[in-house]
Amino acid sequence: MTSPRAVIFRRHLARLRSNRSVIIGLVFGVLIMALLIGGSFIAATQSHDPDRSLVFQYMLWKNGELFSFLVVVFAIVLGSSLANDDIKSGTIFGVLARPVSRADYFVGSLAGAAVFVVVLQLLRIVSSLVLSIVFDGKLTLALFLGFVVVILGDLLYLSMFAAIGAVTSNAVAVFLGLLAVLITGLAFVPDFPAWVTYPLRAIAIFLPIMNESADAAYKAIVGESRLIAPVLEAIAYRSCWIAVLCILGVWGFSRREIAPRT
Amino acid sequence: MTGGDDVVVVERLEKIYREGFPRRIETAALTDVSFSVPRGSIFGLLGPNGAGKSTTIHLLLGFIAPTSGTIRVFGQPPSSPLSRRSLGFLPEIFAFDRFATGRGLLERFDALGGGDAAGRRERVDEALHLVGLAEHGGRKIGTYSKGMAQRIGLGQALLGHVELLILDEPMSGMDPANRRSVKQLLAARRNHGLTTLLSSHILSDVEELADHVVILKRGMIAANAALSELRRGTAAMRVVFGIVEGVTDAASAAALGSPSAAQGEAGFHAVSCADDELNVLLAKLVAARARIVSVNPVQGDLESLFLELTGPERAAEASA
């Protein structure tokens, strides 16, 4: 007997595979990644630095902000529409009329959406690893843990927007989520005056997307730091937040009143 | 009517919708609704638009939570997935995953219902055959006609070992032939012990199928009885009489003054009255020397009863 969660997971994968916007997003991501890899590769081969692997990693990760932004947007869209698209189309009611708990529905769908987000990020991670080997770079534990932090960061965005989208409409979820991203982003801008950043940091403490954990990951990936502890701390921090957000999402979705159009 | 073999038991159910911010507007959708659905029956849930039929169904399925009162489906609260283990549901508008084939959709629903993988193909074949889509199971649902989509919806509701079927306007998009086959299917399944809760605006369908009906009016129960009892309650006697020329006394005038009296062909008049009023009416007509042509019992129909129970409110709404 297959668990309802596994069936929902496969269903959500099939839903996303048939969604034209999602496929366009993936194709766009692949194109950006190809350009990024190409640019980083050329920069590394033309570099006079003895460790060309580090140059490549630096180019790929520190300069790959457009790609990071794309993955975050992808996570925001998939997260906020996790249940809302199904509710809007009415397809959720056939599913929830079966012996399926709201928790199974939420977790199964979240896992399905997570696959797409992870696949997009894996494009960069796999190419990073392959070309690191090509440039005789060192494959350290810190490097691998850094990749884990990056993936957890994407999943953090996904679960945060899914948790908000579990209790509100798509548009409200995107608005609130982007507001949280903006607050966190502005809170850590070094050039901003303290009277702006300090209140924002006070709010950002309660938001799970703080920049310190991202810095630990990037330093490990581009070889600026070989310390494992900050990366492990970032993994623990992000994993805990993902768990908390999943629980909040399940709790909120279980209490949400939904009804088919009549 | 609450017994040990009731599949659904609803007691003092109340649902208030609260909308708006910051000022909350409260709308009472259901007030003090109690009924139970006996196993193996076809149970009609009727009422005009906005009476609370769909709200009741959504509460039974756990889509929304009651403000107060209790609901038990197979002895479980609707929030528990166990209450839906042997339940099939067809909403008024069956939205489906357009990317799936009819067979793929039924296989997924079978898996969600906890059906074992070994017998899945057989169960899906049976459901497709039941709703007449055996030939079209491999087609994407997006290419189905409205009637076919409604039938695949019924197929998923009937899939596997279903003991309670909840149908919200199941025949709204179907042609007469499909409607007939669905009615035959429901009647046949009742003989095998299936319980059906049927919400429909097509009163003739409900009248043909249902054993018991609940009529809701403004979120409250206006009638809750076996269909045969309701019919008995609305049964009437129809008296056809002629007025002898030159006689214009009070009796015939009284009879003609009745709202149900009407002058028919050949100068005859027809008047309906309740069974226990028949003797009084006949005595008046005889005293007035009216010529009694016929006296016949008239069976009350569901539509008349429905309009009688819900009519005054609708008329008031129309004039408001």
Side-chain angles (χ1 to χ4, degrees):
Chain A
M1 201 163 76
T2 323
S3 79
R5 206 172 292 181
V7 181
I8 303 266
F9 166 72
R10 286 200 296 271
R11 172 180 177 266
H12 202 75
L13 278 182
R15 268 181 76 85
L16 293 178
R17 268 206 312 269
S18 69
N19 187 326
R20 205 173 296 164
S21 310
V22 172
I23 299 303
I24 289 170
L26 275 177
V27 170
F28 196 55
V30 171
L31 284 175
I32 291 177
M33 199 64 244
L35 287 172
L36 199 58
I37 291 169
S40 304
F41 184 81
I42 291 166
T45 48
Q46 291 177 350
S47 169
H48 300 292
D49 195 304
D51 192 345
R52 290 191 299 175
S53 166
L54 285 182
V55 175
F56 173 75
Q57 296 290 29
Y58 189 87
M59 294 295 291
L60 193 62
W61 290 91
K62 280 285 185 186
N63 293 341
E65 278 159 6
L66 179 60
F67 185 78
S68 300
F69 179 72
L70 182 82
V71 180
V72 167
V73 169
F74 208 58
I76 289 171
V77 171
L78 294 188
S80 55
S81 63
L82 192 78
N84 282 319
D85 276 2
D86 234 357
I87 294 170
K88 198 174 168 190
S89 67
T91 46
I92 196 170
F93 301 106
V95 176
L96 293 182
R98 296 270 147 188
V100 175
S101 70
R102 299 269 183 115
D104 283 338
Y105 175 86
F106 184 82
V107 174
S109 302
L110 187 64
V115 168
F116 275 77
V117 175
V118 171
V119 160
L120 198 54
Q121 192 60 268
L122 277 177
L123 285 174
R124 177 154 66 164
I125 289 174
V126 170
S127 47
S128 175
L129 278 171
V130 169
L131 287 159
S132 185
I133 294 166
V134 168
F135 289 119
D136 298 324
K138 286 178 188 148
L139 300 180
T140 61
L141 180 61
L143 178 73
F144 281 104
L145 292 176
F147 290 150
V148 173
V149 177
V150 170
I151 287 177
L152 287 175
D154 298 333
L155 296 181
L156 190 56
Y157 273 101
L158 179 72
S159 36
M160 185 171 89
F161 281 86
I164 302 171
V167 290
T168 61
S169 70
N170 220 335
V172 174
V174 170
F175 173 76
L176 290 176
L178 288 178
L179 192 67
V181 173
L182 191 69
I183 288 171
T184 314
L186 294 177
F188 296 95
V189 174
D191 301 335
F192 274 22
W195 64 268
V196 174
T197 55
Y198 275 40
L200 292 177
R201 281 182 195 187
I203 301 169
I205 287 169
F206 302 101
L207 299 172
I209 38 181
M210 292 170 73
N211 288 351
E212 278 84 350
S213 57
D215 280 348
Y218 289 135
K219 278 177 184 168
I221 291 168
V222 301
E224 282 181 18
S225 167
R226 299 273 182 218
L227 292 173
I228 302 281
V231 192
L232 286 176
E233 193 185 315
I235 289 174
Y237 175 81
R238 290 186 173 187
S239 302
C240 288
W241 263 113
I242 290 170
V244 167
L245 288 167
C246 282
I247 291 166
L248 284 174
V250 167
W251 183 79
F253 190 59
S254 300
R255 275 148 191 79
R256 183 168 180 182
E257 297 217 326
I258 48 175
R261 283 172 291 151
T262 53
Chain B
M1 201 186 85
T2 305
D5 207 21
D6 291 328
V7 174
V8 176
V9 178
V10 172
E11 283 172 352
R12 303 190 68 87
L13 189 63
E14 185 184 43
K15 178 63 188 173
I16 297 171
Y17 287 111
R18 294 184 174 90
E19 288 177 295
F21 180 83
R23 286 186 65 186
R24 306 282 270 175
I25 299 165
E26 293 193 347
T27 313
L30 292 175
T31 308
D32 198 22
V33 168
S34 301
F35 64 86
S36 52
V37 180
R39 189 179 292 274
S41 64
I42 296 183
F43 191 95
L45 186 60
L46 307 174
N49 291 333
K53 302 185 299 294
S54 293
T55 297
T56 306
I57 288 177
H58 301 159
L59 284 161
L60 292 178
L61 290 160
F63 294 158
I64 52 176
T67 307
S68 66
T70 56
I71 305 170
R72 287 288 180 273
V73 180
F74 295 113
Q76 302 285 332
S79 55
S80 163
L82 291 175
S83 70
R84 300 186 292 277
R85 202 158 53 177
S86 305
L87 188 150
F89 168 56
L90 178 63
E92 185 175 352
I93 300 165
F94 177 60
F96 38 77
D97 294 323
R98 298 179 70 85
F99 56 84
T101 61
R103 174 174 290 282
L105 183 91
L106 295 192
E107 283 175 349
R108 186 175 302 128
F109 277 113
D110 185 71
L112 284 173
D116 61 294
R120 184 160 300 143
R121 190 176 177 81
E122 201 179 313
R123 288 190 296 274
V124 168
D125 282 342
E126 190 193 343
L128 283 170
H129 179 74
L130 267 176
V131 294
L133 290 174
E135 310 272 306
H136 306 282
R139 269 173 61 185
K140 287 249 172 87
I141 301 176
T143 66
Y144 280 10
S145 67
K146 193 180 172 190
M148 287 167 83
Q150 198 67 0
R151 277 189 285 151
I152 198 76
L154 186 63
Q156 63 80 27
L158 286 166
L159 198 59
H161 182 63
V162 175
E163 291 179 41
L164 171 63
L165 195 58
I166 297 180
L167 305 175
D168 194 0
E169 298 289 348
M171 291 171 256
S172 57
M174 291 184 184
D175 59 33
N178 279 326
R179 267 177 59 194
R180 175 181 281 188
S181 65
V182 169
K183 281 190 279 186
Q184 285 170 346
L185 179 69
L186 294 179
R189 283 277 169 142
R190 169 177 46 193
N191 297 335
H192 289 96
L194 177 74
T195 310
T196 304
L197 194 150
L198 174 66
S199 166
S200 177
H201 275 115
I202 308 169
L203 296 176
S204 58
D205 288 345
V206 178
E207 190 164 23
E208 204 176 314
L209 290 166
D211 308 299
H212 195 106
V213 292
V214 157
I215 300 177
L216 291 171
K217 178 186 174 185
R218 286 200 164 194
M220 285 182 272
I221 288 189
N224 176 10
L227 192 60
S228 54
E229 272 176 46
L230 285 176
R231 277 179 173 156
R232 260 202 306 277
T234 56
M237 300 303 288
R238 187 164 183 269
V239 179
V240 177
F241 63 95
I243 297 172
V244 179
E245 216 167 297
V247 178
T248 54
D249 60 24
S252 53
L256 290 168
S258 160
S260 58
Q263 187 159 10
E265 285 176 21
F268 290 121
H269 297 265
V271 63
S272 296
C273 69
D275 198 15
D276 55 357
E277 293 168 357
L278 179 66
N279 287 347
V280 176
L281 177 69
L282 287 177
K284 280 182 183 174
L285 289 171
V286 169
R289 288 187 287 157
R291 191 159 62 87
I292 312 293
V293 177
S294 66
V295 179
N296 288 305
V298 181
Q299 184 71 270
D301 63 2
L302 188 58
E303 188 172 314
S304 311
L305 178 73
F306 181 85
L307 291 173
E308 190 183 311
L309 288 169
T310 60
E313 177 192 278
R314 303 180 86 184
E317 276 173 9
S319 63

